[in-house]
Amino acid sequence: MEKNSDLKIQHQCPQCGAPATLLESDRLFSCAYCRVKSYLLTNGHNQYRLPSKAPEGQALIYFPYWRFKGMLFSCLPENTLEKFIDTSHQACPSPHFPVSLGLRSQALTLAFVTPETPGYFITPQTRLEDAMVIFNRRFTRDITQPLLHQAHIGETVSMIYAPYYMDRRLMDAVLNQPLRRQGEDSFRPEDYPGGPPRANFRFIPSLCPNCGWDLEGTRDAEVLNCSHCLSLWQPGPGGFTAVPCAHVPTDVRDPIYLPFWRIRADVSGIDLKAYADLVRLANLPRAIQAGWEAMPFHFWAPAFKVRPRVFLRLMRVISSALPPRRLAHRFPEHPCQSANLPVREAMETLRVNLSGLIRPAERVAELLPRIGIKPRKALLVYLPFAKRSHELVNADLNLAVNKNQLSLARNL
Ligand SMILES: [Zn+2]
Ligand SMILES: [Zn+2]
């Protein structure tokens, strides 16, 4: 089974300075001492550094790595392969430094890179897209069938800097020992552009912009809710912005709501405007009823992280189900699973979703390459589930989700 590692990051409460340890996926930080909650806003990707054991006074050189953790979906002519990947790669092509971080970053406690961090930070040269191509290749080497499409979803992408220093030769400052690599003799720092680090993050108070109440969410929440004015908020470059949301009212006693992104998209190359189009495209065993030709088709995707296989199943079951009859356009007043999968990730799922809906499956290879999909707008919809001993059940959708799968997903 894959390893679910969440890196640990050393942190200080922005309010009272108390020390704390964050996880890589943490967004909402709640201080154990002063109880103040704050939210981590990052411009770009989070930047962390590995700890150094270099002797006092050594000038450190930091080498950058892209680190990726998330689901990789590969659409093949007859099925979709899913895989959880957790990997890293040089963010600057170099014969002098190790190609990847290996397992070291998982065993150590990292720290944020701030403008005060001393050291020479080598500037990343490899774009994330190019690193992703390398990751894809690493994880799909064994696939022999034609690859129609690939998508990464639910990802955590970070830039991790590993410390080195020069002591006649290039030294690995994490282990405080010489770096044994071919070509290390030819290392000259001046060949690598870089300089002091730049900060790209800040913590903001997690208060409802509407009523000033404390916002709520799990530590990895991408959407926070206000239980005072029943509103939803997501972080943006300038702070929190309102998230349009709705829920399906229910008669179920004591329900729990799970969040899903409902996405309207412009699809070209095939007819997929109305729910009736989907019934034909997916060859669903249902007689098309009056009204279905005018009922808009939406893509659905979980707004929470869950195992890749479960994610695929939920996405496709709900997208092919008859849309909910009634939506109440506000946050539900019942317990909800926190939304920790941002809408930009959900938007990446549409083609993967579609490849699983088309029937017969032999048509996927022919249709998929000529289909264009442009996401237009999204609504966060909370669907009600009844609690059973081991699973959550939505009878309308004929859908059951194992409770374990939800709790395990915290680490993804
Ligand atoms: Zn504090
Ligand atoms: Zn509020």
Side-chain angles (χ1 to χ4, degrees), residues 29-202:
F29 168 69
S30 182
C31 177
Y33 294 89
C34 70
R35 309 253 159 227
V36 170
K37 285 200 222 170
S38 43
Y39 197 86
L40 172 60
L41 271 192
T42 308
N43 180 13
H45 298 99
N46 289 327
Q47 303 181 93
Y48 306 117
R49 61 189 166 89
L50 296 179
S52 155
K53 276 202 236 158
E56 197 84 17
Q58 279 291 354
L60 294 177
I61 300 164
Y62 282 95
F63 186 79
Y65 290 90
W66 282 115
R67 135 132 176 128
F68 173 90
K69 197 172 78 157
M71 297 181 265
L72 172 64
F73 293 111
S74 307
C75 299
L76 308 177
E78 288 185 18
N79 61 337
T80 302
L81 295 184
E82 79 286 328
K83 204 174 179 75
F84 178 79
I85 66 177
D86 179 346
T87 188
S88 63
H89 191 79
Q90 290 184 336
C92 187
S94 166
H96 301 113
F97 296 94
V99 172
S100 78
L101 287 164
L103 297 172
R104 308 195 283 178
S105 53
Q106 298 172 8
L108 302 164
T109 301
L110 284 64
F112 283 102
V113 172
T114 70
E116 293 78 39
T117 310
Y120 181 82
F121 284 72
I122 293 173
T123 309
Q125 305 289 343
T126 310
R127 294 178 315 152
L128 176 61
E129 301 89 276
D130 298 327
M132 293 311 293
V133 172
I134 295 168
F135 294 150
N136 288 357
R137 244 185 263 138
R138 200 178 284 171
F139 288 94
T140 49
R141 267 192 290 246
D142 312 333
I143 296 178
T144 51
Q145 299 178 62
L147 202 48
L148 302 174
H149 174 66
Q150 279 191 312
H152 307 95
I153 292 149
E155 55 203 62
T156 310
V157 180
S158 313
M159 182 67 73
I160 297 182
Y161 288 89
Y164 294 87
Y165 65 96
M166 287 298 283
D167 182 12
R168 288 188 303 275
R169 57 200 301 192
L170 192 55
M171 301 284 287
D172 177 335
V174 172
L175 303 169
N176 201 25
Q177 65 184 34
L179 183 67
R180 296 191 198 287
R181 279 188 78 76
Q182 259 184 347
E184 48 154 325
D185 297 343
S186 63
F187 175 76
R188 292 183 314 165
E190 56 274 25
D191 291 343
Y192 291 86
R198 259 183 258 151
N200 68 342
F201 73 97
R202 64 196 165 109

Side-chain angles (χ1 to χ4, degrees), residues 28 37 205-218 221-234 240-243 245 247 330-334 336-339 380 382:
L28 184 62
K37 285 200 222 170
S206 57
L207 300 177
C208 174
N210 192 34
C211 74
W213 205 257
D214 252 341
L215 292 174
E216 293 165 19
T218 48
E222 290 282 350
V223 176
L224 301 176
N225 70 284
C226 174
S227 60
H228 188 245
C229 69
L230 298 182
S231 55
L232 274 186
W233 302 91
Q234 67 189 356
F240 291 110
T241 57
V243 180
C245 74
H247 71 277
R330 59 178 193 283
F331 188 70
E333 287 175 71
H334 288 283
C336 296
Q337 167 94 4
S338 201
L380 188 58
Y382 287 81

